[in-house]
């Protein structure tokens, strides 16, 4: 059995050596992962990062922890997850429209319509953000609204929607942060190979240039690609996300071509003369060795989870231990990646950045055979092992291991409701946010230049293959009426924003 890459859970099936998603936990059932039996494993002691043992539990101070001056406290969404109106105003079809339309791909048969109907209710949603006092809002631009077929001229109606949104946010004193690609690739580009095709990187840079020109007033960070790891591993590896491909070579190609597209978009950003800041959003997680002899597998798994993305972006090189047939590695021939990388590519992937966006949901353990191991309690998303110290560890690690790293921003962090049918009494989310924000404040106190935190998510929304069943919002959405009701966590978070400090429990 080989280790398999995933954002937080690394699994394999005996039938196939292909990677299986964190999100496959639900689909495959508990039997594939011996959580109970492995829960008793404890990390090795004293091994250095990467593949380090879990950080010791940290006791937060009994007094409020102040956040740095100018720190931005916001919330995040993404276009396909909230907008709905998937055919309005000339929007083209995306891979998620196609994928969600196929029975069996999304829980409950949910699609991108109406999601949280944000395309029509955006003014009300900005009012809501203003009422909560948020400093910032991170949203994504839907590529198929800007270029309905993935190339060619701008669709003016699509651009207008985001212009109005940016203008209104600025009027309300809310800093817009914009993600250019949050998984909704125009279907015509998928028909030509999607991210497995090199040309998609150039198409992405062209699209990015159009958006930089169209939205010159964006003051918060521009983020090129959201979680290239998830798109590659879950979209092209396990096939649990759009485009639903299970092919490890295409998966490796999707890694490289997204990072290439990122670098080309950074160049387009500089060429546009835009005054803002640009970066990429990477989902990172500490990988801890679990049990006897697990250190080497955990180091390789760390390459798969973290360094395969951090290194080409911040060092201009791919790690040499992510691919191969050893425990913890992506089961692909390293020659596959070598063949994709053309002269100059790594200079492109490592274009200097203004910010690095980190998305942190939890940690994972890996045993000596490269299998995922549960070391910490999970949320109702079974892939999410909750260990707030991992937030601190991740921020410090990027600072220490990557001297060229720019300022850091945390662009996603959150948990789903415990109650499957939705609740506004989300005490566990309050405690999750508190514990993680304390770790962010702790990292800042220790000198890490971390400048922002965006909770995932502002609204309950379309949670990809989980459909509408997993609710990640600070604000409850009744999907039948589209009524918004702030949860306890939204009110608590508003207090943090007002106080500029994280209160003790
Ligand atoms: C992701 C996405 C979000 C998810 C969130 C909860 O990182 O997967 O950015 O769209 O909804 O992470 O799974």
């Amino acid at each position: 059995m080989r280790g398999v890459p995933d954002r937080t859970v690394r699994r394999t099936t005996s039938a196939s050596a292909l990677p299986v998603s964190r999100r496959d936990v639900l689909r495959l059932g508990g039997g594939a992962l011996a959580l109970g039996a492995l829960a008793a494993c404890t990390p090795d002691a004293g091994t250095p990062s990467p593949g380090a043992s879990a950080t010791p539990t940290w006791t937060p101070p009994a007094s409020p922890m102040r956040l740095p001056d100018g720190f931005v406290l916001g919330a995040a969404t993404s276009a396909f997850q909230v907008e709905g109106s998937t055919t309005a105003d000339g929007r083209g079809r995306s891979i998620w429209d196609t994928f969600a339309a196929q029975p069996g791909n999304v829980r409950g048969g949910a699609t991108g319509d109406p999601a949280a109907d944000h395309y029509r209710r955006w003014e009300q949603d900005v009012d809501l953000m203003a009422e909560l006092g948020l400093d910032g809002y991170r949203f994504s631009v839907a590529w198929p609204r800007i270029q309905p077929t993935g190339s060619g001229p701008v669709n003016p109606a699509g651009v207008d929607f985001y212009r109005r949104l940016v203008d209104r946010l600025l009027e309300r004193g809310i800093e817009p942060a914009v993600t250019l690609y949050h998984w909704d690739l125009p279907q015509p580009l998928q028909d030509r190979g999607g991210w497995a095709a090199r040309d998609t990187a150039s198409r992405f840079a062209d699209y990015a240039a159009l958006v930089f020109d169209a939205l010159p007033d964006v003051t918060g960070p521009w983020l090129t690609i959201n979680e290239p790891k998830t798109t590659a591993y879950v979209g092209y590896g396990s096939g649990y996300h759009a485009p639903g491909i299970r092919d490890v070579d295409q998966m490796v190609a999707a890694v490289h071509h997204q990072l290439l597209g990122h670098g080309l978009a950074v160049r387009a950003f500089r060429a546009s003369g835009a005054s803002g800041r640009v970066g990429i959003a990477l989902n990172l997680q500490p990988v801890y060795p679990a049990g006897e002899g697990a250190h080497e597998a955990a180091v390789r798994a760390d390459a798969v989870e973290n360094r395969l993305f951090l290194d080409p972006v911040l060092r201009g090189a791919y790690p040499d231990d992510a691919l191969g047939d050893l425990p913890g590695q992506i089961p692909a021939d390293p020659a596959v990646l070598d063949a994709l990388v053309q002269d100059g590519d790594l200079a492109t992937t490592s274009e200097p950045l203004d910010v690095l966006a980190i998305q942190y949901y939890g940690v994972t353990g890996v045993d000596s055979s490269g299998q995922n191991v549960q070391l910490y309690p999970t949320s109702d998303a079974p892939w999410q092992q909750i260990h707030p110290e991992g937030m601190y560890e991740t921020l410090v690690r990027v600072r220490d291991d990557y001297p060229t790293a720019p300022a850091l921003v945390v662009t996603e962090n959150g948990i789903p409701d415990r109650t499957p049918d939705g609740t506004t009494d989300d005490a566990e989310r309050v405690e999750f946010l508190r514990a993680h924000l304390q770790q962010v404040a702790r990292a800042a106190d220790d000198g890490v230049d971390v400048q922002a935190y965006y909770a995932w998510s502002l609204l309950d929304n379309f949670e990809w293959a989980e459909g509408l069943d997993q609710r990640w919002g600070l604000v409850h959405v009744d999907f039948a009426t589209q009524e918004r009701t702030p949860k306890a966590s939204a009110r608590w978070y508003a207090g943090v924003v007002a106080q500029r400090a994280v209160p003790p429990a």
Side-chain angles (χ1 to χ4, degrees):
M1 297 263 280
R2 285 168 167 167
V4 289
D6 174 38
R7 181 170 134 179
T8 45
V9 168
R10 300 161 44 78
R11 318 240 345 247
T12 193
T13 60
S14 49
S16 151
L18 291 180
V20 177
S21 147
R22 66 178 171 116
R23 292 166 166 100
D24 277 351
V25 171
L26 290 175
R27 186 172 269 193
L28 297 178
L33 187 59
L35 295 182
L38 293 168
C41 288
T42 50
D44 287 343
T47 40
S49 171
S53 57
T55 38
T57 305
W58 173 78
T59 307
S63 52
M65 295 188 74
R66 286 207 69 74
L67 292 159
D69 290 345
F71 193 87
V72 171
L73 285 158
T77 63
S78 86
F80 194 80
Q81 293 182 274
V82 297
E83 286 180 357
S85 301
T86 57
T87 55
D89 297 333
R91 179 188 178 279
R93 197 172 172 81
S94 80
I95 55 173
W96 268 97
D97 296 290
T98 304
F99 187 77
Q102 288 160 4
N105 281 345
V106 175
R107 189 172 286 266
T111 68
D113 263 313
D117 201 23
H118 174 74
Y119 192 76
R120 300 193 307 153
R121 294 169 193 267
W122 63 274
E123 289 167 288
Q124 178 191 344
D125 290 339
V126 176
D127 288 347
L128 191 54
M129 290 180 236
E131 279 160 30
L132 297 174
L134 299 188
D135 302 324
Y137 175 48
R138 172 188 178 230
F139 63 93
S140 80
V141 171
W143 187 347
R145 289 198 195 280
I146 306 301
Q147 288 180 306
T149 61
S151 58
V154 155
N155 167 32
V159 163
D160 283 352
F161 171 70
Y162 298 106
R163 277 206 185 115
R164 288 194 296 268
L165 177 60
V166 167
D167 288 351
R168 181 65 61 91
L169 288 166
L170 292 171
E171 273 166 36
R172 296 299 172 92
I174 300 167
E175 184 186 84
V178 182
T179 309
L180 287 160
Y181 183 73
H182 202 125
W183 306 357
D184 42 6
L185 190 76
Q187 182 63 42
L189 294 184
Q190 188 61 46
D191 298 341
R192 304 210 299 268
W195 288 109
R198 187 176 173 94
D199 185 57
T200 300
S202 301
R203 299 287 67 75
F204 175 68
D206 289 352
Y207 150 71
L210 296 176
V211 182
F212 297 141
D213 286 347
L215 303 177
D217 299 329
V218 169
T219 46
W222 285 95
L223 304 168
T224 55
I225 299 213
N226 178 73
E227 298 193 359
K229 180 170 65 175
T230 310
T231 288
Y233 296 179
V234 188
Y236 291 79
S238 69
Y240 194 53
H241 277 183
I245 290 168
R246 297 174 61 94
D247 180 312
V248 75
D249 289 355
Q250 287 195 54
M251 179 186 110
V252 172
V255 170
H256 183 60
H257 295 148
Q258 287 182 91
L259 297 179
L260 188 62
H262 152 74
L264 293 171
V266 172
R267 285 191 184 152
F269 182 77
R270 305 291 179 219
S272 76
S275 57
R277 303 187 298 161
V278 70
I280 186 171
L282 300 180
N283 50 324
L284 305 177
Q285 63 169 353
V287 179
Y288 303 132
E292 240 358 66
H295 178 70
E296 288 185 354
V299 170
R300 294 184 206 108
D302 174 71
V304 172
E305 293 289 346
N306 301 306
R307 287 181 283 117
L308 189 60
F309 300 88
L310 286 166
D311 285 12
V313 168
L314 296 175
R315 289 195 174 130
Y318 280 109
D320 60 10
D321 55 348
L323 274 56
D325 54 12
L326 296 170
Q329 292 181 316
I330 292 173
D333 188 336
V336 170
L337 180 58
D338 291 347
L340 293 162
V341 180
Q342 299 184 6
D343 281 355
D345 279 7
L346 290 166
T348 306
T349 62
S350 59
E351 278 291 326
L353 303 181
D354 307 308
V355 291
L356 179 71
I358 292 176
Q359 319 213 132
Y360 177 81
Y361 285 94
V363 301
T364 195
V366 167
D367 68 14
S368 60
S369 67
Q371 293 302 293
N372 181 254
V373 173
Q374 184 181 350
L375 298 173
Y376 293 95
T378 67
S379 73
D380 270 15
W383 52 267
Q384 183 177 29
Q385 296 189 39
I386 300 173
H387 183 53
E389 285 81 356
M391 168 77 87
Y392 171 83
E393 187 179 323
T394 299
L395 295 170
V396 169
R397 184 243 178 123
V398 170
R399 189 262 316 261
D400 291 349
D401 288 1
Y402 296 90
T404 62
L408 305 182
V409 289
V410 176
T411 43
E412 285 185 26
N413 177 235
I415 51 165
D417 285 349
R418 284 275 177 222
T419 312
D421 55 0
T423 181
T424 55
D425 181 15
D426 58 344
E428 72 288 339
R429 180 172 291 106
V430 170
E431 289 318 312
F432 181 97
L433 296 177
R434 182 201 314 280
H436 286 79
L437 273 163
Q438 285 172 328
Q439 297 291 340
V440 173
R442 176 187 173 204
D445 284 348
D446 286 358
V448 176
D449 184 12
V450 53
Q451 302 185 347
Y453 173 95
Y454 299 83
W456 184 270
S457 173
L458 176 69
L459 302 170
D460 288 343
N461 60 45
F462 175 86
E463 174 55 18
W464 308 115
E466 307 310 327
L468 302 175
D469 284 8
Q470 264 185 23
R471 293 170 169 273
W472 291 75
L474 299 175
V475 174
H476 177 270
V477 175
D478 177 331
F479 292 112
T481 63
Q482 293 294 340
E483 189 185 349
R484 275 82 163 127
T485 311
K487 302 178 190 176
S489 59
R491 292 192 290 274
W492 177 85
Y493 193 55
V496 175
V497 185
Q499 301 298 314
R500 319 304 308 167
V502 193

